[in-house]
Coordinates of all heavy atoms in Angstrom, one line a residue:
G1 N 0.8 -1.2 0.0 CA 0.0 0.0 0.0 C 0.8 1.3 0.0 O 0.4 2.3 -0.5
G2 N 2.1 1.2 0.5 CA 3.0 2.3 0.5 C 3.4 2.6 -1.0 O 3.6 3.7 -1.4
E3 N 3.7 1.5 -1.7 CA 4.0 1.6 -3.1 C 2.8 2.3 -3.8 O 3.0 3.2 -4.6 CB 4.2 0.2 -3.7 CG 4.4 0.2 -5.2 CD 4.4 -1.3 -5.7 OE1 5.0 -2.1 -5.1 OE2 3.8 -1.5 -6.8
A4 N 1.6 1.8 -3.5 CA 0.4 2.3 -4.2 C 0.2 3.8 -3.8 O -0.1 4.6 -4.7 CB -0.8 1.5 -3.8
A5 N 0.4 4.2 -2.5 CA 0.2 5.5 -2.1 C 1.0 6.5 -2.9 O 0.6 7.6 -3.3 CB 0.5 5.6 -0.6
L6 N 2.3 6.2 -3.0 CA 3.2 7.1 -3.8 C 2.8 7.2 -5.2 O 2.8 8.3 -5.8 CB 4.7 6.6 -3.7 CG 5.3 6.7 -2.3 CD1 6.7 6.0 -2.3 CD2 5.4 8.1 -1.8
L7 N 2.4 6.0 -5.8 CA 2.0 6.0 -7.2 C 0.7 6.8 -7.4 O 0.6 7.6 -8.4 CB 1.8 4.6 -7.7 CG 1.4 4.3 -9.1 CD1 2.5 4.9 -10.1 CD2 1.2 2.9 -9.4
I8 N -0.3 6.6 -6.5 CA -1.5 7.3 -6.7 C -1.4 8.8 -6.5 O -1.9 9.6 -7.3 CB -2.5 6.7 -5.6 CG1 -2.9 5.3 -6.0 CG2 -3.8 7.6 -5.5 CD1 -3.4 4.5 -4.8
A9 N -0.6 9.2 -5.5 CA -0.4 10.6 -5.3 C 0.4 11.3 -6.5 O 0.2 12.4 -6.8 CB 0.4 10.9 -4.0
A10 N 1.3 10.5 -7.1 CA 2.0 11.0 -8.3 C 1.1 11.1 -9.5 O 1.4 11.8 -10.4 CB 3.2 10.1 -8.6
T11 N 0.0 10.4 -9.4 CA -0.9 10.4 -10.6 C -2.1 11.4 -10.4 O -2.5 12.0 -11.4 CB -1.5 8.9 -10.7 OG1 -0.5 8.0 -10.9 CG2 -2.4 8.8 -12.0
Y12 N -2.6 11.5 -9.2 CA -3.7 12.4 -9.0 C -3.4 13.6 -8.1 O -3.1 13.4 -6.9 CB -4.8 11.5 -8.3 CG -5.3 10.4 -9.3 CD1 -5.1 9.1 -8.9 CD2 -5.9 10.7 -10.5 CE1 -5.5 8.0 -9.7 CE2 -6.3 9.6 -11.3 CZ -6.1 8.3 -10.9 OH -6.4 7.3 -11.8
P13 N -3.4 14.8 -8.6 CA -3.0 16.0 -7.9 C -3.9 16.4 -6.7 O -3.6 17.2 -5.9 CB -2.9 17.1 -9.0 CG -3.9 16.6 -10.0 CD -3.8 15.1 -10.0
E14 N -5.1 15.7 -6.6 CA -6.0 16.0 -5.5 C -5.4 15.6 -4.2 O -5.8 16.2 -3.1 CB -7.3 15.3 -5.7 CG -8.1 15.7 -6.9 CD -7.8 14.9 -8.2 OE1 -6.7 14.3 -8.2 OE2 -8.6 14.9 -9.1
I15 N -4.4 14.7 -4.2 CA -3.8 14.3 -2.9 C -2.7 15.3 -2.5 O -1.8 15.6 -3.3 CB -3.1 12.9 -3.1 CG1 -4.2 11.9 -3.5 CG2 -2.4 12.5 -1.8 CD1 -5.3 11.7 -2.5
K16 N -2.8 15.9 -1.3 CA -2.0 16.9 -0.9 C -1.0 16.5 0.2 O -0.2 17.4 0.7 CB -2.8 18.1 -0.4 CG -3.8 18.7 -1.4 CD -3.1 19.1 -2.7 CE -4.1 19.7 -3.7 NZ -3.4 20.0 -5.0
A17 N -1.0 15.3 0.6 CA 0.0 14.8 1.5 C 0.0 13.2 1.4 O -1.1 12.6 1.2 CB -0.2 15.2 2.9
V18 N 1.2 12.6 1.6 CA 1.3 11.2 1.5 C 2.1 10.7 2.7 O 3.2 11.2 3.0 CB 2.0 10.7 0.2 CG1 2.0 9.2 0.1 CG2 1.4 11.4 -1.0
V19 N 1.6 9.6 3.3 CA 2.4 8.8 4.3 C 2.6 7.4 3.8 O 1.6 6.7 3.6 CB 1.7 8.8 5.7 CG1 2.6 8.0 6.7 CG2 1.5 10.2 6.2
A20 N 3.8 7.0 3.5 CA 4.1 5.7 2.9 C 4.9 4.9 3.9 O 6.1 5.3 4.1 CB 4.8 5.9 1.6
G21 N 4.4 3.9 4.5 CA 5.1 3.0 5.4 C 5.8 1.9 4.6 O 5.2 1.3 3.8
V22 N 7.0 1.6 5.0 CA 7.9 0.6 4.3 C 7.5 0.5 2.9 O 7.2 -0.6 2.4 CB 7.8 -0.8 5.1 CG1 8.5 -0.7 6.4 CG2 6.3 -1.2 5.3
P23 N 7.7 1.6 2.1 CA 7.2 1.6 0.7 C 8.3 1.1 -0.3 O 9.4 0.7 0.1 CB 6.9 3.1 0.5 CG 8.0 3.7 1.3 CD 8.3 2.9 2.5
S24 N 7.9 1.2 -1.5 CA 8.8 0.9 -2.7 C 8.9 2.2 -3.5 O 8.0 3.0 -3.6 CB 8.2 -0.2 -3.5 OG 9.0 -0.3 -4.7
N25 N 10.1 2.3 -4.1 CA 10.3 3.4 -5.1 C 9.9 3.0 -6.5 O 9.9 3.8 -7.4 CB 11.8 3.8 -5.1 CG 12.7 2.8 -5.6 OD1 12.6 1.6 -5.2 ND2 13.6 3.1 -6.5
V26 N 9.6 1.7 -6.7 CA 9.2 1.2 -8.0 C 7.9 0.5 -8.0 O 7.5 0.0 -6.9 CB 10.3 0.3 -8.6 CG1 11.6 1.0 -8.8 CG2 10.5 -1.0 -7.8
V27 N 7.3 0.3 -9.1 CA 6.1 -0.6 -9.2 C 6.7 -2.0 -9.3 O 7.5 -2.3 -10.2 CB 5.3 -0.3 -10.4 CG1 4.2 -1.4 -10.7 CG2 4.6 1.1 -10.2
W28 N 6.1 -3.0 -8.5 CA 6.6 -4.3 -8.6 C 5.6 -5.3 -9.3 O 4.4 -4.9 -9.5 CB 6.8 -4.9 -7.1 CG 8.0 -4.4 -6.5 CD1 8.2 -3.4 -5.6 CD2 9.4 -4.8 -6.7 NE1 9.5 -3.2 -5.3 CE2 10.2 -4.1 -5.9 CE3 9.9 -5.8 -7.5 CZ2 11.6 -4.3 -5.9 CZ3 11.3 -6.1 -7.5 CH2 12.1 -5.3 -6.7
Q29 N 6.1 -6.4 -9.6 CA 5.2 -7.5 -10.2 C 4.0 -7.8 -9.2 O 4.1 -7.6 -8.0 CB 6.1 -8.7 -10.4 CG 5.3 -9.9 -10.9 CD 6.2 -11.2 -11.0 OE1 7.4 -11.0 -11.3 NE2 5.7 -12.3 -10.7
S30 N 3.0 -8.2 -9.8 CA 1.8 -8.5 -9.1 C 2.0 -9.8 -8.2 O 3.0 -10.5 -8.3 CB 0.6 -8.8 -10.0 OG 0.9 -10.0 -10.8
I31 N 1.0 -10.0 -7.3 CA 1.1 -11.1 -6.4 C -0.2 -11.9 -6.7 O -1.3 -11.5 -6.3 CB 1.2 -10.7 -4.9 CG1 2.4 -9.9 -4.7 CG2 1.1 -12.0 -4.0 CD1 2.5 -9.3 -3.2
N32 N -0.1 -13.1 -7.3 CA -1.2 -13.9 -7.7 C -1.0 -15.3 -7.2 O 0.0 -16.0 -7.6 CB -1.4 -13.9 -9.2 CG -2.7 -14.5 -9.6 OD1 -3.1 -15.5 -9.1 ND2 -3.3 -14.0 -10.7
F33 N -1.9 -15.8 -6.3 CA -1.7 -17.1 -5.8 C -2.4 -18.2 -6.5 O -2.2 -19.4 -6.2 CB -2.1 -17.1 -4.3 CG -1.1 -16.3 -3.5 CD1 -1.5 -15.0 -3.1 CD2 0.1 -16.7 -3.2 CE1 -0.7 -14.2 -2.3 CE2 1.0 -15.9 -2.4 CZ 0.6 -14.7 -2.0
K34 N -3.3 -17.8 -7.4 CA -4.0 -18.8 -8.2 C -3.2 -19.2 -9.5 O -3.2 -20.4 -9.9 CB -5.4 -18.3 -8.6 CG -6.3 -18.3 -7.4 CD -7.8 -18.2 -7.8 CE -8.7 -18.3 -6.7 NZ -10.1 -18.1 -7.1

């Protein structure tokens, strides 16, 4: 969710502050267990 928070805030200017816990600086591969 920290990865997502940074990506979402970088995409949508309506977000005026971001808190990203243990985040990523890149978009990672998906996680699919099926």
Side-chain angles (χ1 to χ4, degrees):
E3 172 188 320
L6 293 173
L7 181 62
I8 292 160
T11 305
Y12 298 114
E14 295 90 341
I15 301 302
K16 301 302 180 184
V18 185
V19 179
V22 289
S24 170
N25 67 310
V26 299
V27 169
W28 283 100
Q29 178 182 324
S30 63
I31 301 174
N32 187 326
F33 293 103
K34 286 193 174 181

